Amino acid sequence: MANFETKKLNKGLHGEIEIPADKSISHRSLIIGSLTKGKMKIENFSSAEDCASTLKILVELGAKIEQVGSTLFVDFTSCYQAPKSILDCGNSGTTMRLMSGILSAQNFTSTLCGDESLTKRPMKRVTVPLNEMGAHIETTEGHAPLKITGGKLNPIKYESKLASAQVKSCLMLASIAQNLPLEYTEPTLSRNHTERMLEYFGGKIETKELEDKVLIKFGKMELTAHDLYIAGDISSAAFFIIMALIVPNSEITIKNVGLNETRSGIIDVLLDMGANIEILDKKLISGEEVASLKIKYTENLKATTVSGNIIPRLIDEIPTLALLMTQAEGISVIKDAGDLRNKESDRLKTVHDELTKLGAKIEEKEDGLIIYGKTPLQGGATLNTYCDHRLAMTWFIAGLITENPINIDGFEWHKTSFPEFLDKFNSLLK
Ligand code: S3P
């Protein structure tokens, strides 16, 4: 993979961009859509490589999909048919974990595989409860490939130790695929796009805050296909929000940002740190909130502590947030984030190791990071991306403020979630 050299940006970012479609919602539009067995138009489908993996797999399982630009015309009436080959999830954990639920409910055997990074990620969190429901899944010591022999499943009451939308969605989809009820608890509410989309298709779900956990419960569900427009991805927007906050002289507007409250923790934390962010024109699109954000460079960001219930609400933004924390006055703490070690890379270790190369003062803890700011970053180093798209884009942003260029090894990985990243960036260099 080619190396990419960054360049310091003195004059700031200016103008307006529209953020591309949300990756989590794009996956779900096809995966949950398939359970309606109907026909639908999906507008603004993500161009991320991860979502292309989901699309390809559904076609192999019988969906008919015509793509015109970012619009999909989908016919799910022939889903599900036994696949002719192994189903490749690429780098996408969401594809593997959500599809494992649906495939466990089918009367055939299928195999899900993934790339080197996905093969290192833990899959027992889904295979154990699915096997408990009656599926038969073989793994290699808890890792992909997953050989799934589906069949008749039993309803499950499941208490998850993790606040994971992938685990929650997997069990929801396995249950719905066989019209079974579900009672599921998680320690704190993880992203609820699955619940919202099921409700958009006519399903009824109860979500209840209990003393120390959240209950998600439903009975039999009738779903009807509806056309969808996919909101913009706050996790992609976060790169530009943080860029504008730390690159002097910047002032930008980002349109169509999904602001679902289970995803918008990053905005709450940045406002708490004193960031100059205005939220404008809030509205609802296909059951999800969106808004425009106006962001201005903020010289005096203050350190903060991020822990507990907010962690699932900003889990994917932590690498970029850690970079911003190096530029905030005081000691910032990230804790209760141990599951970051199971993402596309071990994000506590990789963020610590690579930011340290730039001169950041940062300590790695078992479940988090301690970051001492404000520290000028030097550059002049090669940073690895470890097959991790969020690291690729974080290192790019770091390079906008380092005295010397950074060499990014594997910058192409940004295409996993955000192929338009460089075009959007270039459009703000007015
Ligand atoms: C996702 C859930 C989160 C998140 C991932 C996407 C989803 O993972 O980190 O990028 O679309 O359900 P976990 O469920 O493992 O927390």
Side-chain angles (χ1 to χ4, degrees), residues 157-162 183-188 208 210 213-216:
K157 287 187 183 176
Y158 195 71
E159 198 162 319
S160 173
K161 301 256 180 310
L162 290 168
E183 271 188 50
Y184 180 91
T185 61
E186 54 183 351
T188 164
K208 207 158 139 191
L210 305 177
K213 57 191 172 197
V214 178
L215 170 73
I216 292 101

Side-chain angles (χ1 to χ4, degrees), residues 24 28 94 97 125 163-166 191 315-316 339 343:
S24 287
R28 284 162 172 79
T94 305
R97 296 198 178 117
R125 55 184 66 194
S164 159
Q166 293 177 352
R191 66 187 65 188
I315 189 75
D316 292 339
D339 206 37
K343 297 293 176 188

Side-chain angles (χ1 to χ4, degrees), residues 89-364:
C89 303
N91 191 251
S92 175
T94 305
T95 308
M96 183 166 281
R97 296 198 178 117
L98 269 57
M99 286 312 299
S100 68
I102 300 221
L103 292 170
S104 292
Q106 310 305 319
N107 256 328
F108 52 72
T109 297
S110 53
T111 302
L112 293 169
C113 72
D115 70 6
E116 191 190 324
S117 141
L118 184 53
T119 304
K120 285 191 199 138
R121 297 177 66 184
M123 290 298 145
K124 273 194 184 161
R125 55 184 66 194
V126 289
T127 59
V128 167
L130 287 171
N131 283 339
E132 217 176 285
M133 288 177 83
H136 182 72
I137 307 182
E138 287 167 43
T139 67
T140 307
E141 291 170 17
H143 295 269
L146 309 182
K147 185 174 174 209
I148 304 174
T149 305
K152 192 172 158 6
L153 303 177
N154 308 305
I156 191 169
K157 287 187 183 176
Y158 195 71
E159 198 162 319
S160 173
K161 301 256 180 310
L162 290 168
S164 159
Q166 293 177 352
V167 176
K168 173 173 66 176
S169 303
C170 167
L171 298 188
M172 289 175 79
L173 298 175
S175 306
I176 296 166
Q178 291 204 352
N179 221 349
L180 301 172
L182 175 71
E183 271 188 50
Y184 180 91
T185 61
E186 54 183 351
T188 164
L189 186 64
S190 62
R191 66 187 65 188
N192 64 2
H193 301 301
T194 299
E195 293 91 310
R196 285 186 180 221
M197 194 172 292
L198 286 166
E199 280 168 350
Y200 183 72
F201 291 146
K204 295 216 170 4
I205 296 160
E206 188 188 337
T207 302
K208 207 158 139 191
E209 296 258 357
L210 305 177
E211 205 177 309
D212 55 350
K213 57 191 172 197
V214 178
L215 170 73
I216 292 101
K217 188 176 167 184
F218 55 79
K220 294 189 177 213
M221 217 180 279
E222 293 265 332
L223 301 175
T224 313
H226 284 297
D227 292 349
L228 271 171
Y229 184 95
I230 300 180
D233 199 323
I234 188 168
S235 298
S236 299
F239 294 109
F240 284 95
I241 299 170
I242 286 174
M243 219 185 271
L245 289 174
I246 66 173
V247 175
N249 307 314
S250 298
E251 180 169 346
I252 63 169
T253 300
I254 310 181
K255 293 177 80 180
N256 188 33
V257 182
L259 277 193
N260 176 319
E261 59 176 355
T262 61
R263 294 283 299 283
S264 58
I266 185 69
I267 307 287
D268 296 353
V269 168
L270 292 172
L271 288 173
D272 184 49
M273 296 177 81
N276 195 332
I277 301 176
E278 257 182 90
I279 302 173
L280 308 162
D281 311 324
K282 265 198 181 176
K283 58 183 177 204
L284 202 66
I285 296 189
S286 303
E288 294 278 353
E289 286 91 13
V290 298
S292 293
L293 303 177
K294 200 167 165 188
I295 304 114
K296 282 190 197 154
Y297 168 65
T298 308
E299 195 177 357
N300 301 312
L301 291 164
K302 300 186 301 283
T304 193
T305 293
V306 180
S307 64
N309 289 357
I310 201 161
I311 295 294
R313 296 180 56 224
L314 48 65
I315 189 75
D316 292 339
E317 286 64 79
I318 290 177
T320 337
L321 179 61
L323 168 66
L324 173 124
M325 283 170 162
T326 67
Q327 302 307 303
E329 289 297 340
I331 304 172
S332 288
V333 179
I334 296 169
K335 56 182 184 192
D336 306 322
D339 206 37
L340 279 181
R341 297 198 182 279
N342 297 314
K343 297 293 176 188
E344 285 82 336
S345 69
D346 172 348
R347 286 186 179 155
L348 295 177
K349 179 171 170 31
T350 52
V351 166
H352 166 269
D353 291 358
E354 303 307 291
L355 286 181
T356 302
K357 289 186 192 167
L358 300 181
K361 296 194 177 61
I362 176 164
E363 275 173 45
E364 181 186 345

